[in-house]
Amino acid sequence: VTAAKLNDNVISGQTALTAEPDDTDEFLVSDAGTIKRIDYSLIKGGGITMADQFRLSADVGASSQSVDFTSNLERVDTSGQGTLGSSLMSESSGIFTFPSTGIYLVRFDLVSYVATATRYLNAHIMLTTNNSSYSIIAEGRNGGFVSESSSTNNQANAITLLDITDTSNQKVKFQAVINQTSSNGFYGSSTLNRTTMTFIRLGDT
């Protein structure tokens, strides 16, 4: 069959596919003039395939100068909020595991209340590459100053791009470091976002 034998509606006259093709669906392509078939999995776009967000669900006091957030964490679930993807982040005692390899944007927004003036208040994103020891890879800084005998609200943000190649060993956790602990702490809520951890998979590694 030559090109001249094909009607203009050879494609548009067929039944329409109403959903994204399966990975094994096949297309015809011309490979330097030779007709070949190719699976959809080899040509589909990457794009953002996962977006997830957690939050501190209740206030947490500054019990020490270094606070790892290991509890009172929940996936955002207020009406109108949502996530993207069938495989999302998993969390256990404040340790976050990535669902697949890839390049991820990770952001930590720490909202605090300060009733005792503090010289520094830092937000840390911490990474392990051996599923054991953690190091700081991103830091946001703020200070707390109290005026008129009332507490001060502060926000520190940390953000990073991670190249996750080993989901068993590369994990993250979140930490706050504060100079003064008395009457100071961090805001959380189960109905709106205050202190949050955001994860977006941008593409393949």
Side-chain angles (χ1 to χ4, degrees):
V1 178
T2 64
K5 299 292 185 180
L6 298 176
N7 289 331
D8 292 339
N9 67 346
V10 66
I11 293 178
S12 61
Q14 307 304 313
T15 301
L17 184 64
T18 58
E20 183 179 3
D22 293 331
D23 283 350
T24 54
D25 286 353
E26 296 175 333
F27 296 79
L28 288 178
V29 298
S30 174
D31 181 12
T34 301
I35 298 298
K36 296 181 180 179
R37 60 182 173 83
I38 186 171
D39 280 356
Y40 176 66
S41 62
L42 297 176
I43 60 174
K44 67 179 181 180
I48 294 176
T49 57
M50 196 283 291
D52 201 2
Q53 190 174 61
F54 284 73
R55 65 189 172 201
L56 196 62
S57 61
D59 294 351
V60 173
S63 56
S64 63
Q65 290 186 333
S66 179
V67 177
D68 286 358
F69 293 99
T70 59
S71 61
N72 296 315
L73 297 170
E74 67 174 17
R75 178 171 281 115
V76 297
D77 59 0
T78 305
S79 178
Q81 293 181 318
T83 59
L84 172 67
S86 57
S87 296
L88 300 173
M89 300 294 296
S90 58
E91 180 270 328
S92 177
S93 299
I95 305 299
F96 288 83
T97 301
F98 296 88
S100 62
T101 60
I103 303 297
Y104 287 82
L105 183 147
V106 180
R107 176 175 173 133
F108 180 32
D109 291 276
L110 177 68
V111 181
S112 62
Y113 56 89
V114 175
T116 301
T118 182
R119 184 163 54 87
Y120 58 80
L121 195 162
N122 299 343
H124 290 164
I125 299 174
M126 305 186 72
L127 172 71
T128 179
T129 58
N130 60 8
N131 197 28
S132 178
S133 57
Y134 283 80
S135 59
I136 301 168
I137 57 167
E139 180 180 72
R141 294 188 175 190
N142 207 330
F145 302 94
V146 180
S147 62
E148 299 178 358
S149 300
S150 61
S151 62
T152 301
N153 296 330
N154 297 275
Q155 185 164 357
N157 315 103
I159 190 168
T160 187
L161 289 174
L162 293 180
D163 183 5
I164 301 299
T165 59
D166 183 349
T167 59
S168 296
N169 287 301
Q170 291 175 284
K171 301 177 182 182
V172 294
K173 66 179 182 178
F174 300 90
Q175 180 187 76
V177 176
I178 189 168
N179 178 238
Q180 297 290 337
T181 61
S182 177
S183 301
N184 297 336
F186 314 99
Y187 280 124
S189 172
S190 62
T191 59
L192 58 88
N193 288 4
R194 286 176 173 158
T195 295
T196 58
M197 304 85 173
T198 304
F199 308 85
I200 302 175
R201 187 183 185 278
L202 300 177
D204 296 335
T205 180

